[in-house]
Amino acid sequence: MPFDFRRFDIYRKVPKDLTQPTYTGAIISICCCLFITFLFLSELTGFIASEIVNELYVDDPDKDSGGKIEVNLNITLPNLNCEVVGLDIQDEMGRHEVGHIDNSMRIPLYDGNGCRFEGRFSINKVPGNFHVSTHSATAQPMNPDMSHFIHKLSFGDTLQVDNIHGAFNALGGADKLASNPLASHDYILKIVPTVYEDMNGKQRFSYQYTVANKEYVAYSHTGRIIPAIWFRYDLSPITVKYTERRQPMYRFITTVCAIIGGTFTVAGILDSCIFTASEAWKKIQLGKMQ
């Protein structure tokens, strides 16, 4: 007797003449196909789109930076002449730079009565401060007005990723135009290193920060201290890492199989229950008629 390979078929077919189509079964089948299509398209959209996964760890992520952090500052002082505006940088490594001018611009505003300062500079990865003041001016103005508007203050690379909502420019839009003209301003920054890794493995290094601020008029035994806009910073040892990735193919296939199999199984059970109940009701009616 020849070997029949068809014995291994676990999906045995039932002849059509032994099956009975019903209107209920047709409706359930159509709904089942529509539901499967909807779920499949939803999963396909999720599979094509990337997701952002974040993690925290203790480390210095950008070891090739030479212990430096790039800073971008853009600030407007509407009541201070550009000739007296300067940037000073200090830190705990002994750096004390007055009147930093590299990679910076001072743009006169309001017929020379105001100034917009734009600068890109680096700071060491140690606690310190940088401040906008008149300390570097040859002749100090009588009453320097430090009211200001901060357009941008950011650290490291610029991240423009829609799925990341972080405090990369927490002071952007800070409005101190109505503040006391004689007051100093202290912004206390806690800087958090941030790494973004795309699906190609390319990393970008940026920094988020939190901020607290106070406004005050300072005095010493010699009189009122010249006001300034201080940005005092410290670094957090915690690094935030965002990794862009796509759902694995095997997970997508598994989910699709679960959707199709589960939907067909539930639809079959529902159709069977409705058909059984319908047949039972017909028998009851026939019994009553007799």
Side-chain angles (χ1 to χ4, degrees):
M1 182 178 179
F3 176 74
D4 190 357
F5 186 73
R6 292 179 298 175
R7 294 179 180 178
F8 292 100
D9 185 6
I10 61 175
Y11 301 104
R12 294 175 178 267
K13 311 303 183 291
V14 178
K16 286 188 176 180
D17 57 351
L18 297 180
T19 60
Q20 177 183 350
T22 62
Y23 286 107
T24 304
I27 294 173
I28 292 176
S29 298
I30 294 172
C31 293
C32 177
C33 291
L34 292 175
F35 187 65
I36 289 175
T37 302
F38 169 74
L39 293 181
F40 173 77
L41 292 176
S42 300
E43 282 298 320
L44 182 62
T45 303
F47 173 71
I48 295 174
S50 60
E51 61 177 351
I52 304 296
V53 179
N54 61 74
E55 59 179 312
L56 303 176
Y57 59 92
V58 179
D59 193 12
D60 179 9
D62 191 9
K63 296 183 175 63
D64 298 327
S65 64
K68 303 286 186 180
I69 300 176
E70 291 294 323
V71 183
N72 288 282
L73 176 62
N74 189 329
I75 184 172
T76 292
L77 299 99
N79 303 313
L80 204 60
N81 192 288
C82 280
E83 293 181 357
V84 298
V85 174
L87 177 70
D88 311 325
I89 306 173
Q90 297 174 288
D91 63 36
E92 292 187 359
M93 292 182 68
R95 181 182 183 183
H96 189 180
E97 186 175 348
V98 179
H100 179 88
I101 58 174
D102 294 339
N103 300 318
S104 63
M105 292 189 301
R106 292 178 294 183
I107 305 170
L109 302 173
Y110 315 119
D111 297 325
N113 295 320
C115 186
R116 180 164 178 164
F117 180 88
E118 299 180 11
R120 183 179 180 88
F121 54 96
S122 62
I123 56 176
N124 294 316
K125 292 182 178 180
V126 295
N129 73 79
F130 53 90
H131 52 278
V132 178
S133 69
T134 61
H135 297 163
S136 61
T138 304
Q140 292 294 321
M142 289 296 295
N143 293 303
D145 185 344
M146 285 296 164
S147 58
H148 61 277
F149 184 90
I150 301 176
H151 303 278
K152 181 179 182 180
L153 176 61
S154 63
F155 301 85
D157 298 335
T158 301
L159 295 183
Q160 295 180 339
V161 183
D162 295 335
N163 294 336
I164 296 180
H165 304 286
F168 296 97
N169 185 25
L171 275 175
D175 188 347
K176 297 295 181 180
L177 297 177
S179 62
N180 185 343
L182 304 178
S184 289
H185 301 267
D186 255 5
Y187 294 101
I188 314 299
L189 313 178
K190 193 70 172 181
I191 301 175
V192 181
T194 304
V195 183
Y196 178 80
E197 182 177 322
D198 61 22
M199 286 187 291
N200 298 321
K202 182 181 178 181
Q203 291 186 337
R204 282 180 284 173
F205 302 96
S206 186
Y207 296 83
Q208 302 181 65
Y209 62 93
T210 59
V211 59
N213 70 285
K214 64 178 179 178
E215 177 184 328
Y216 60 94
V217 178
Y219 292 90
S220 68
H221 63 279
T222 57
R224 183 168 54 83
I225 297 176
I226 299 174
I229 305 170
W230 297 82
F231 301 92
R232 308 181 193 273
Y233 61 88
D234 194 5
L235 272 79
S236 169
I238 302 296
T239 294
V240 180
K241 183 178 182 181
Y242 297 99
T243 304
E244 183 182 14
R245 68 185 185 187
R246 185 167 283 125
Q247 181 181 346
M249 176 63 76
Y250 71 87
R251 186 180 299 172
F252 172 70
I253 295 174
T254 301
T255 305
V256 171
C257 291
I259 289 173
I260 296 174
T263 305
F264 270 117
T265 301
V266 173
I269 294 173
L270 180 62
D271 179 60
S272 178
C273 291
I274 293 176
F275 180 77
T276 302
S278 176
E279 290 297 312
W281 176 250
K282 289 180 181 178
K283 290 180 180 180
I284 293 174
Q285 286 184 324
L286 291 174
K288 286 183 177 179
M289 290 177 62
Q290 292 175 356

